[in-house]
């Protein structure tokens, strides 16, 4: 068995200095506390809850409480260039304490994996819309989801963190259902893997970090301008549209095909502010989307989370309920 070092990320540097590197067996450390659930047919395969570009998420159980948990593992060798960023982002994530930011219960690091233990959630919002609500959610329900996410995002922004990858795949729903829909009070933002905490709140054009996901990317990132946490508000607007309508807010070329240069096309579309409100939504929903989808030339006028509370009082009212 390989020797590994367990890292407590909140105070990683300080604790490493104070305590000295704590050499422990990784498998003993993680699996002493948590047991991976195995496929009942093969017995030896871990049960996979999901995977993304970087991580694979497995089902496990807390040996003591018997609660099911999710273990997100990043293979360090195949993601060498991301490991430092992942460590940093997990540290920020673990320090978060908000009803709409998924909790990180434990972090482990071995020679092979960077592992984060989290509460086990139901499906992600992408799978839910795709498989259960292909034409979107009723607006009163979508509004509640939007507000829960807005309050989680406002919390991150108050801590100086830009999430940088807000999209339905990074939003997890609870298994609990209320009035026919996953409980909006338990919806969670996760995956801070692309997060950054820029000095003065501005990411300078010269330091644009590795990007998020193109369909949710604010135009100022696409064209390589400096930007602020308003890029998350833009992405949240896209999520709101997706859950209201079941499709993306912008048309990406003929018959949904990418044009020859995806990035160039995005830049041109957004410069012209091609938000196509040819769908039936309430005036309030249109208004919020129009405010968020400003063309590139007005990116600095896009509302912040705080602005949205002030401009749309229903957001604040619902938010109080969602944080109860
Ligand atoms: N706590 C959880 N409970 C249940 N499923 C989860 C949990 N965490 C993640 N998942 C599933 O695993 C998927 C991938 O997780 P995650 O987003 O953390 O990985 P990633 O590699 O960072 O993704 P990305 O491609 O967005 O960078 C999620 O989209 C979701 O479907
Ligand atoms: Mg993800």
């Amino acid at each position: 068995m390989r020797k590994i070092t367990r890292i407590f990320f909140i105070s990683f540097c300080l604790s490493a200095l104070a305590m000295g590197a704590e050499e422990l067996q990784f498998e003993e450390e993680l699996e002493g506390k948590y047991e991976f659930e195995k496929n009942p047919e093969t017995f030896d395969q871990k049960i996979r809850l999901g995977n993304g570009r970087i991580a694979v998420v497995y089902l496990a159980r807390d040996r003591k409480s018997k609660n099911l948990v999710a273990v997100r593992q990043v293979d360090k060798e195949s993601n060498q260039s991301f490991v430092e960023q992942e460590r940093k982002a997990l540290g920020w994530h673990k320090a978060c304490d908000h009803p709409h930011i998924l909790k990180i219960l434990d972090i482990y690091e071995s020679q092979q994996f960077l592992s984060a233990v989290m509460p086990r959630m139901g499906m992600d919002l992408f799978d839910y819309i795709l498989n259960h609500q292909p034409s979107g959610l009723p607006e009163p329900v979508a509004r509640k989801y939007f507000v829960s996410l807005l309050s989680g995002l406002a919390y991150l922004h108050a801590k100086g963190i830009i999430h940088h990858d807000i999209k339905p795949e990074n939003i997890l729903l609870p298994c609990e259902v209320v009035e026919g829909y996953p409980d909006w009070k338990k919806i969670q933002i996760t995956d801070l893997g692309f997060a950054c905490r820029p000095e003065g709140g501005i990411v300078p054009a010269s330091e644009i970090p590795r990007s998020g996901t193109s369909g949710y990317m604010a135009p100022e990132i696409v064209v390589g301008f400096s930007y602020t946490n308003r890029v998350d508000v833009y992405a949240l607007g896209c999520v709101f549209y997706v859950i209201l309508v079941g499709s993306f807010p912008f048309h990406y070329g003929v018959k949904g095909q990418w044009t020859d240069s995806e990035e160039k096309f995005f830049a041109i579309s957004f410069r012209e502010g091609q938000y196509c409100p040819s769908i039936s939504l309430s005036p309030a929903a249109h208004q919020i989307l129009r405010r968020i989808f400003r063309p590139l030339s007005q990116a600095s006028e896009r509302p912040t989370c705080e602005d949205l509370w002030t401009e749309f009082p229903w957001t604040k009212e619902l938010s109080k309920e969602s944080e109860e």
Side-chain angles (χ1 to χ4, degrees), residues 93-151:
H93 192 164
K94 188 158 196 299
C96 289
D97 181 16
H98 187 274
H100 297 295
I101 304 293
L102 187 68
K103 300 264 176 298
I104 298 280
L105 305 171
D106 272 312
I107 296 171
Y108 300 91
E109 182 165 358
S110 69
Q111 276 176 1
Q112 193 180 356
F113 294 115
L114 199 49
S115 304
V117 183
M118 311 165 282
R120 186 260 173 127
M121 298 289 290
M123 69 180 76
D124 66 58
L125 187 57
F126 183 87
D127 283 342
Y128 179 67
I129 296 291
L130 193 71
N131 297 314
H132 299 275
Q133 303 288 339
S135 18
L137 291 162
E139 193 177 313
V141 182
R143 273 195 193 199
K144 288 177 175 172
Y145 283 19
F146 174 77
V147 163
S148 295
L149 298 170
L150 183 64
S151 82

Side-chain angles (χ1 to χ4, degrees), residues 99 203 253:
V203 179

